[in-house]
């Protein structure tokens, strides 16, 4: 009886020490939940969620200070992912992204641009090149399509255009959806 | 595997068995799976090879290979000779393009590519003069065999040779640069696709070229074993090749006729017994395989100095009365060749590029033959078999030559579980079509894999861009932070300096009487005062607690003093620092450079106004004021410009199709007048619509702002 108690006590102490050590040794820096959420966010940095970027929104979510359905470009899918990570109720999106099928990028009409550098300041990912009173241009591959540069342009020369499809970026379409179900159930009800 | 067509007892037994159970034939070769379709090769073999057909117009897409697009080296109206270099680039992996015949360059424009998407790409349009005058030895070779791999590679590159079996990977990039890296050189003469006989005919007619080409490669790479695999249904080709290979160390191996014997992995395994592991290059295991046509092209380039300008193409299919093989000039139109073969019914259905198993339907029949086109198939559409649900019979699994699980792949592709599809190694799938071929439910399995592959690539791309955006955003945040701090530092330093100056003034009141605010003089005094202040600051004993902040302030002040004398170089320190921070990122560097320019411009303006006031602060407010005025003016000007342009566009719309800037549009540009085709028309229309929309938007915006 005594020996059993002693053995279990010894085991308890041993595991206690082990766990304590592990918690110090393998301590996770930062906030893993925020990190996780940040990874599923589309990184458009558009601010439509009301935060100054994707990361601040992720951090707010991790702290439970924000709703799960605020990321408009991410849409329904991202909302579901967020609610899974944060273990919160999914909530219907209020606004839906208009154009999910194709990526859009900003394009500056270089004849009209007056080189006011307003758009450079607005762009969250530094995707616009230009200098004062010089023509500005968007680096297409860097632009996230956040549309933040649109309202600040005083001469309204920025337009959002769909990214051009080239034979390299073209993808095979999905085979025409078939009427036949994936698995036929027997007997077919009628 | 047999070296001669005589059969062993085991083979006879299996062939006997195969009458009862066709798949028994799978025991005759080494790789897994495989199917035995109806070959229909006699169709195109029953008519002689055509060699003298030169089409009127040739369309040469600038990208006929894997890699980057080439740039045209000729201009509109140029007269070119056969074998003349038309396009090349140094910017990356590419194969130059040469003129397939003599004639005139009539256009360089977008034309539909022989690609599944039906998209168009920039092409050179050559109108032949039917004289076919050639530049002999245009690659300038002396006919000797290059001793070093590098020389051979350079020559193959210049000849524009790409893998002619299908993928179109530039051949030079496939060849290792060191001798002795390759143990087996394999000649792929299997040609397993039904209907296609171009390699067969090539082996019959130019066996010597192929064997010599292989010997050239073997010699310059130091390869001992040369094996050539030919399927046993090509008796004539085997004989011709054996004759050509006599007294050389090229071994002709006859392999069983099975689909897809001609796949790189499959034929390698069949000939050498080496199973290529996934994601390794054949070179890593000491194997180099090329198509017979590629070897023939290498021979032509090395010995005769002829670049790749034509290739054997099979024009066949059940819809043609007169199928044939042709030594086709690159750039010949699919439709033209198909018409030459006398179609049974009008060509209202899409032609297929490639064979019936792996071929791809073209979106337009008027597409050119490129270096990788081996077959044009005209098969009138048949009523499609209705796809049924998968019955999990496992036939597809048994047929897959790569040993994948096609049925699982289908399942997950269909339900868009792309991570699982990737786990099941969809990227190892060679899209051979064996699985679709055997599927009793007629499920278009390969289409699902193609779709899944595209989707996965797309998702990956998106992830990469998201990552990039995140990094750039963080970088920007950091930069803003830093700039803010620097600005604060600067202001603090300025305040410090002003304070010091005041103290100085107080002490030196007796000597320095109040001067009138003559601008230049004041500026000079301020400078001098600052310099002195800086000196003083330096000399103060380091007893004060606020030292570090002060030190920084002084340094900043000094910097500014320096800057005042050399106005154009100041303020650039921030960007340069940033450049140093991230020298690898060219974009960041470009941004920095742009910023530098901006700073410079700003500074120049400052310096012109600097004599107005000594203090930079007032100066700054001044400039912002003037800037505001200027900007308002500029906005007005730009708007007017835009409106003018819009008006010009609108007025020109009815008679002019071009959407260039008005000045260009009024000029009769050659490109727009030359052969207006449907595609460009549609594009133009789209562009027009977009422009209209834009203009309208602008208009509404301006009116909105005015009200
Ligand atoms: S260029 Fe415009 S749309 Fe593109 S990322 Fe920058 S601000 Fe957003
Ligand atoms: S905001 Fe508009 S006008 Fe100003 S620099 Fe950007 S594109 Fe040009
Ligand atoms: S298409 Fe792909 S999955 Fe189907 S049999 Fe060929 S390699 Fe296997
Ligand atoms: S062959 Fe067709 S029906 Fe059979 S398991 Fe494969 S996909 Fe399903």
């Amino acid at each position: 009886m005594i020996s059993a108690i002693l053995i279990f006590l010894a085991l308890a102490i041993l595991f206690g020490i082990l766990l304590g050590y592990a918690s110090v040794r393998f301590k996770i820096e930062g906030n893993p939940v925020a990190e996780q959420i940040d990874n599923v966010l589309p990184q458009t940095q558009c601010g439509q969620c009301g935060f100054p970027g994707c990361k601040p929104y992720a951090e707010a979510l991790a702290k439970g200070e924000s709703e799960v359905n605020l990321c408009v470009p991410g849409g329904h899918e991202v909302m579901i992912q967020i609610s899974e990570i944060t273990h919160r109720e999914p909530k219907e999106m209020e606004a839906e992204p208009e154009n999910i099928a194709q990526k859009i990028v900003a394009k500056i009409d270089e004849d009209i641009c007056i080189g006011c550098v307003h758009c450079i300041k607005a762009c969250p990912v530094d995707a616009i090149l230009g200098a004062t009173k010089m023509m500005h241009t968007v680096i297409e591959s860097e632009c996230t399509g956040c549309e933040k540069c649109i309202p600040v342009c005083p001469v309204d020369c920025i337009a959002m255009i769909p990214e051009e499809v080239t034979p390299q970026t073209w993808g095979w379409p999905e085979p025409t959806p078939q009427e036949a179900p994936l698995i036929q159930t027997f007997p077919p009800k009628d | 595997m047999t070296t001669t067509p005589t059969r062993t007892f085991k083979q006879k037994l299996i062939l006997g068995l195969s009458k009862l159970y066709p798949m028994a034939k799978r025991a005759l070769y080494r790789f897994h799976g495989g199917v035995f379709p109806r070959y229909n090769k006699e169709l195109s073999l029953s008519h002689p090879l055509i060699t003298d057909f030169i089409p009127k117009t040739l369309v040469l897409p600038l990208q006929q290979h894997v890699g980057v697009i080439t740039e045209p080296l000729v201009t509109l109206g140029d007269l070119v000779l056969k074998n003349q270099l038309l396009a090349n680039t140094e910017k990356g992996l590419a194969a130059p393009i040469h003129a397939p015949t003599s004639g005139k360059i009539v256009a360089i424009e977008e034309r539909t590519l022989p690609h599944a998407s039906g998209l168009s790409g920039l092409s050179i349009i050559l109108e032949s003069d039917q004289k076919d005058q050639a530049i002999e030895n245009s690659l300038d070779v002396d006919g000797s065999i290059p001793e070093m791999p590098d020389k051979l590679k350079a020559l193959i590159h210049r000849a524009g040779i790409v893998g002619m079996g299908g993928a179109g990977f530039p051949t030079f990039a496939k060849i290792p640069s060191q001798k002795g890296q390759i143990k087996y050189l394999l000649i792929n003469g299997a040609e397993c696709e039904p209907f296609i006989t171009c390699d067969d005919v090539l082996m019959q007619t130019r066996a010597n070229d192929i064997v010599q080409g292989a010997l050239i490669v073997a010699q310059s790479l130091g390869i001992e074993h040369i094996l050539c695999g030919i399927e046993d249904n090509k008796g004539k080709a085997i004989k011709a090749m054996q004759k050509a290979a006599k007294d050389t160390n090229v071994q002709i191996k006859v392999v069983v006729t099975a689909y897809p014997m001609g796949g790189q992995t499959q034929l390698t395994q069949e000939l050498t017994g080496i199973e290529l592991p996934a994601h390794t290059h054949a070179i890593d295991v000491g194997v180099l395989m090329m198509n017979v046509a590629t070897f023939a092209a290498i021979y032509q380039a090395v010995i005769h100095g002829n670049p790749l300008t034509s290739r054997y193409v099979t024009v066949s299919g059940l819809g043609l009365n007169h199928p044939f093989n042709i030594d086709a000039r690159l750039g010949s139109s699919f439709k033209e060749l198909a018409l030459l073969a006398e179609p049974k019914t009008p060509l209202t259905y899409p032609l297929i590029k490639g064979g019936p198993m792996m071929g791809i339907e073209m979106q337009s029949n008027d597409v050119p033959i490129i270096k990788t086109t081996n077959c044009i198939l005209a098969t009138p559409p048949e009523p499609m078999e209705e796809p049924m649900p998968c019955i999990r019979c496992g036939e597809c699994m048994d047929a897959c030559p790569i040993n994948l699980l096609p049925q699982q792949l289908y399942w997950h592709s269909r339900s868009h579980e792309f991570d699982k599809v990737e786990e099941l190694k969809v990227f190892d799938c060679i899209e051979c079509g064996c699985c679709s071929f055997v599927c009793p439910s007629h499920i278009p399995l390969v289409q699902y894999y193609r779709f899944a592959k595209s989707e996965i690539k797309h998702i990956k791309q998106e992830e990469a861009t998201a990552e990039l955006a995140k990094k750039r955003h963080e970088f920007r945040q950091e930069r803003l932070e830093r700039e803010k701090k620097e600005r604060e530092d600067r202001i603090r330093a300025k305040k410090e300096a002003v304070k010091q100056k005041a103290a100085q003034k107080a002490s030196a009141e007796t000597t320095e009487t109040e001067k009138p605010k003559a601008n230049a003089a004041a500026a000079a005094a301020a400078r001098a005062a600052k310099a002195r202040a800086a000196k003083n600051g330096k000399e103060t004993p380091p007893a004060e607690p606020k030292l570090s902040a002060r030190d920084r302030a002084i340094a900043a002040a000094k910097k500014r003093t320096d800057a005042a004398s050399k106005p154009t170089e100041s303020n650039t320190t921030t960007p340069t620092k940033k450049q140093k921070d991230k020298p690898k990122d060219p974009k960041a560097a470009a941004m920095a450079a742009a910023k530098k320019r901006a700073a410079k411009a700003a500074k120049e303006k400052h310096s012109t106004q600097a004599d107005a006031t000594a203090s930079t602060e007032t100066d700054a407010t001044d400039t912002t004021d003037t800037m505001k005025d200027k900007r308002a003016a500029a906005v007005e000007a730009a708007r007017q410009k835009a409106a003018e342009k819009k008006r010009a566009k609108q007025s020109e719309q009815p008679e002019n199709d071009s959407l260039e800037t008005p000045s260009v549009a009024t000029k009769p540009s050659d490109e727009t007048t030359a052969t207006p085709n449907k595609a460009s028309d549609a594009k133009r229309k789209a562009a027009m619509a977009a422009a209209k929309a834009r203009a309208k938007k602008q208009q509404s915006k301006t009116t909105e702002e005015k009200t």
Side-chain angles (χ1 to χ4, degrees):
Chain A
M1 173 68 183
I2 299 275
S3 63
I5 289 172
L6 281 180
I7 286 168
F8 276 98
L9 201 66
L11 276 177
I13 290 169
L14 183 70
F15 282 117
I17 290 169
L18 264 179
L19 283 175
Y21 172 73
S23 74
V24 175
R25 174 74 175 74
F26 302 109
K27 190 168 166 34
I28 296 165
E29 297 290 338
N31 188 342
V33 178
E35 197 86 331
Q36 247 174 308
I37 298 171
D38 197 28
N39 282 340
V40 302
L41 291 175
Q43 301 299 336
T44 317
Q45 317 292 357
C46 62
Q48 289 181 68
C49 50
F51 292 87
C54 295
K55 201 163 185 187
Y57 178 42
E59 274 157 7
L61 275 170
K63 280 187 218 138
E65 290 168 358
S66 180
E67 294 293 348
V68 293
N69 63 347
L70 297 181
C71 180
V72 178
H76 190 77
E77 247 168 74
V78 165
M79 185 271 293
I80 296 286
Q81 276 172 308
I82 292 172
S83 56
E84 267 166 19
I85 295 170
T86 54
H87 306 293
R88 282 162 63 183
E89 275 295 299
K91 216 174 146 198
E92 257 326 300
M93 298 296 297
E94 274 155 19
E96 279 292 328
E98 304 148 17
N99 189 346
I100 348 168
Q102 209 174 7
K103 190 189 162 192
I104 49 169
V105 290
K107 187 164 180 1
I108 294 176
D109 189 333
E110 294 170 354
D111 295 327
I112 306 179
C113 171
I114 53 167
C116 66
V117 301
H118 281 193
C119 53
I120 291 196
K121 285 185 203 139
C123 180
V125 291
D126 283 347
I128 301 177
L129 272 184
T132 319
K133 298 187 109 183
M134 306 285 229
M135 169 205 96
H136 283 48
T137 190
V138 177
I139 314 169
E140 240 173 71
S141 58
E142 316 272 305
C143 172
T144 65
C146 71
E147 306 190 10
K148 271 188 163 175
C149 51
I150 302 274
V152 297
C153 179
V155 290
D156 199 21
C157 68
I158 310 177
M160 299 306 290
I161 52 159
E163 212 178 24
E164 207 185 330
V165 185
T166 64
Q168 280 77 38
T169 57
W170 177 83
W172 285 90
E174 183 161 19
T176 36
Q178 296 148 28
E179 299 310 315
L182 210 53
I183 302 167
Q184 199 142 45
T185 44
F186 285 99
K189 286 173 201 122
D190 46 33
Chain B
M1 186 173 72
T2 49
T3 44
T4 53
T6 52
R7 299 196 165 107
T8 62
F9 174 69
K10 185 187 157 203
Q11 282 174 329
K12 276 185 195 151
L13 185 76
I14 294 173
L15 284 176
L17 259 178
S18 72
K19 300 223 164 61
L20 294 172
Y21 175 58
M23 298 307 167
K25 277 199 234 163
R26 283 182 184 155
L28 287 174
Y29 49 88
R30 292 187 182 177
F31 63 86
H32 178 265
V35 292
F36 310 96
R38 281 199 50 205
Y39 281 94
N40 287 320
K41 296 220 183 208
E42 63 292 340
L43 284 180
S44 48
L45 283 176
S46 56
H47 295 94
L49 176 76
I50 298 177
T51 51
D52 51 3
F53 178 68
I54 305 173
K56 247 191 101 198
T57 27
L58 296 168
V59 178
L60 300 159
L62 289 175
Q63 181 155 25
Q64 311 201 357
H65 48 262
V66 177
V68 300
I69 192 166
T70 57
E71 292 155 6
L73 301 172
V74 286
T75 48
L76 224 59
D78 278 6
L79 294 174
V80 296
L81 293 176
K82 183 181 172 179
N83 296 345
Q84 186 178 333
L85 184 63
L86 296 184
N88 198 2
T89 184
E90 300 293 324
K91 284 190 187 141
L93 191 62
I97 292 160
H98 301 79
T101 186
S102 59
K104 191 173 159 194
I105 308 292
V106 292
I108 298 174
E109 61 188 17
E110 300 262 322
R111 285 291 178 96
T112 314
L113 298 174
H115 188 264
S117 62
L119 290 168
S120 44
L122 212 56
S123 312
I124 297 177
I125 321 296
L126 173 65
E127 207 174 79
S128 77
D129 55 10
Q130 300 293 328
K131 289 189 198 128
D132 207 24
Q133 287 167 324
I135 305 174
E136 295 303 330
N137 192 4
S138 80
L139 297 176
D140 202 17
V141 295
D142 55 9
S144 66
I145 298 169
E147 283 307 315
M148 293 311 292
D150 280 338
K151 283 213 183 110
L152 180 72
K153 278 177 79 164
L155 189 52
I156 289 176
H157 184 192
R158 281 202 291 135
I161 298 172
V162 304
M164 290 163 79
F169 195 74
T171 302
F172 78 93
K174 211 169 140 181
I175 296 175
S177 338
Q178 255 125 47
K179 260 191 175 176
Q181 235 172 312
I182 304 291
K183 200 155 164 248
Y184 292 103
L185 182 66
L186 306 184
I187 308 174
N188 188 345
E191 196 167 58
C192 55
E193 272 254 2
F195 286 97
I196 307 181
T197 51
C198 61
D199 287 353
D200 188 357
V201 172
L202 186 81
M203 286 188 281
Q204 288 178 35
T205 55
R206 287 167 61 189
N208 199 45
D209 286 15
I210 299 166
V211 171
Q212 293 304 321
L215 290 173
I216 289 166
V217 176
Q219 189 175 335
S220 63
L221 294 183
I223 303 170
E224 276 171 46
H225 305 279
I226 312 175
L227 304 175
C228 173
I230 308 175
E231 279 188 348
D232 59 9
N233 59 356
K234 300 179 190 57
K236 279 189 196 159
I238 294 170
K239 271 206 196 97
M241 287 294 284
Q242 272 169 343
K243 202 168 143 229
K246 221 167 156 189
D247 307 323
T248 66
N249 59 347
V250 178
Q251 295 175 44
I252 309 294
K253 301 252 184 187
V254 179
V255 296
V256 202
T257 304
Y259 181 85
M261 183 60 85
Q264 166 155 303
T265 336
Q266 287 70 38
L267 193 60
T268 304
Q269 195 182 349
E270 191 63 28
L271 291 178
T272 65
I274 301 171
E275 244 184 288
L276 290 182
H279 309 301
T280 51
H281 291 294
I283 293 180
D284 301 337
V285 290
V287 174
L288 179 63
M289 176 184 284
M290 285 189 255
N291 186 268
V292 282
T294 315
F295 281 113
I298 291 175
Y299 169 79
Q300 282 295 329
V302 172
I303 304 299
H304 299 300
N306 291 333
L308 177 61
T309 59
S310 67
R311 66 157 298 148
Y312 280 28
V313 177
T314 302
V315 182
S316 188
L318 298 173
L320 301 176
N321 275 326
H322 191 91
F324 57 82
N325 277 289
I326 179 171
D327 187 3
R329 312 289 164 131
L330 298 180
S332 312
S333 148
F334 273 41
K335 197 172 172 186
E336 214 173 333
L337 294 187
L339 287 176
L340 213 60
E342 297 160 18
K344 288 176 187 160
T345 52
L347 286 176
T348 46
Y349 50 89
L351 293 170
I352 294 168
K353 177 186 84 168
M357 300 291 282
M358 292 178 80
I360 290 166
E361 273 185 12
M362 292 292 100
Q363 304 284 328
S364 153
N365 284 346
D366 200 14
V367 288
I369 283 179
I370 57 171
K371 290 173 183 174
T372 54
T373 317
N374 53 3
C375 180
I376 301 170
L377 204 62
T379 308
E382 284 164 26
M384 277 273 285
E385 299 272 8
E386 195 58 28
M388 310 273 277
C390 171
I391 53 169
R392 292 198 178 246
C393 63
E395 284 291 327
C396 49
M397 197 184 76
D398 290 337
C400 178
I402 313 289
N403 240 330
L404 300 176
L405 298 171
Q407 174 223 89
Q408 301 281 335
L409 284 171
Y410 159 64
W411 223 258
H412 293 305
S413 302
R414 198 180 150 143
S415 43
H416 292 205
E417 293 162 336
F418 295 118
D419 44 340
K420 291 208 181 102
V421 182
E422 205 183 351
E423 254 167 52
L424 286 165
K425 307 234 182 311
V426 73
F427 280 102
D428 290 349
C429 166
I430 55 170
E431 297 176 20
C432 65
C434 289
C435 47
S436 310
F437 181 78
V438 295
C439 179
S441 293
H442 308 294
I443 301 170
L445 294 165
V446 182
Q447 287 184 34
Y448 279 96
Y449 310 149
R450 283 177 177 154
F451 162 68
K453 281 183 189 178
S454 303
E455 279 303 292
I456 293 170
K457 271 188 209 145
H458 186 74
I459 292 170
K460 289 237 166 98
Q461 180 63 38
E462 246 171 30
E463 270 170 15
T465 37
E467 193 55 42
L468 181 75
K470 193 164 138 189
K471 281 222 186 83
R472 285 184 77 90
H473 184 60
E474 274 163 16
F475 181 67
R476 181 189 154 89
Q477 271 344 62
E478 214 174 276
R479 192 197 76 211
L480 292 182
E481 198 87 336
R482 198 174 51 224
E483 277 174 1
K484 199 172 141 208
K485 204 166 143 263
E486 267 161 19
R487 204 167 41 240
E488 275 167 8
D489 279 355
R490 233 177 303 145
I491 289 167
R492 207 173 321 132
K494 206 178 291 163
K495 275 188 191 148
E496 204 77 31
V498 168
K499 231 188 264 164
Q500 293 255 347
K501 200 170 81 184
Q504 203 84 36
K505 257 191 188 153
S507 66
E509 200 127 61
T510 45
T511 50
E512 261 182 56
T513 47
E514 275 188 35
K515 277 182 184 170
K517 266 201 175 173
N519 302 328
R527 260 208 305 278
K530 261 178 232 160
R532 242 173 295 150
K535 228 184 201 171
N536 275 9
K538 213 176 200 173
E539 275 162 18
T540 40
E544 285 167 47
K546 272 202 222 156
L547 181 81
S548 61
R550 245 186 117 189
D551 252 353
R552 233 182 303 141
I554 287 155
K558 242 190 189 165
K559 211 162 49 184
R560 243 180 329 99
T561 335
D562 283 350
S565 51
K566 275 187 282 168
T568 46
E569 264 172 39
S570 75
N571 266 18
T572 57
T573 39
T574 345
T576 28
K577 209 200 274 165
K578 202 165 66 208
Q579 241 167 344
K580 266 177 210 151
D581 283 355
K582 238 193 163 186
K584 270 178 207 147
D585 189 348
K587 298 248 165 74
M591 285 295 287
K595 291 244 173 59
K596 200 155 129 189
R597 273 199 308 275
K600 220 184 219 174
K603 193 66 211 172
E604 257 155 22
K605 208 195 286 157
H606 273 224
S607 65
T608 53
Q609 293 180 349
D611 50 354
T613 41
S615 145
T616 14
E617 258 162 342
T618 46
D619 182 289
T621 49
D622 260 350
T623 18
T624 41
D625 268 4
T626 48
M627 256 164 72
K628 251 182 213 157
D629 290 349
K630 264 186 205 155
R631 201 165 65 221
V635 169
E636 221 20 76
R639 273 212 196 111
Q640 258 161 24
K641 207 167 78 187
E644 226 163 68
K645 209 170 114 192
K646 190 182 68 201
R647 238 174 292 138
K649 260 183 212 165
Q650 272 168 355
S651 65
E652 259 160 40
Q653 259 167 22
E655 68 271 8
N656 205 321
D657 315 300
S658 172
L659 245 183
E660 303 296 317
T661 45
S663 59
V664 179
T666 44
K667 263 187 259 156
S669 100
D670 291 4
E671 265 180 69
T672 41
T673 49
T675 55
N677 64 2
K678 248 188 213 162
S680 62
D681 230 310
K683 222 178 96 198
R684 240 178 269 144
K685 260 181 211 149
M688 198 92 87
K692 258 187 209 157
R694 206 162 52 211
K696 215 186 254 169
K697 197 173 133 207
Q698 217 158 310
Q699 214 169 19
S700 65
K701 185 97 179 193
T702 19
T703 46
E704 200 180 280
E705 267 173 28
K706 267 176 197 156
T707 52

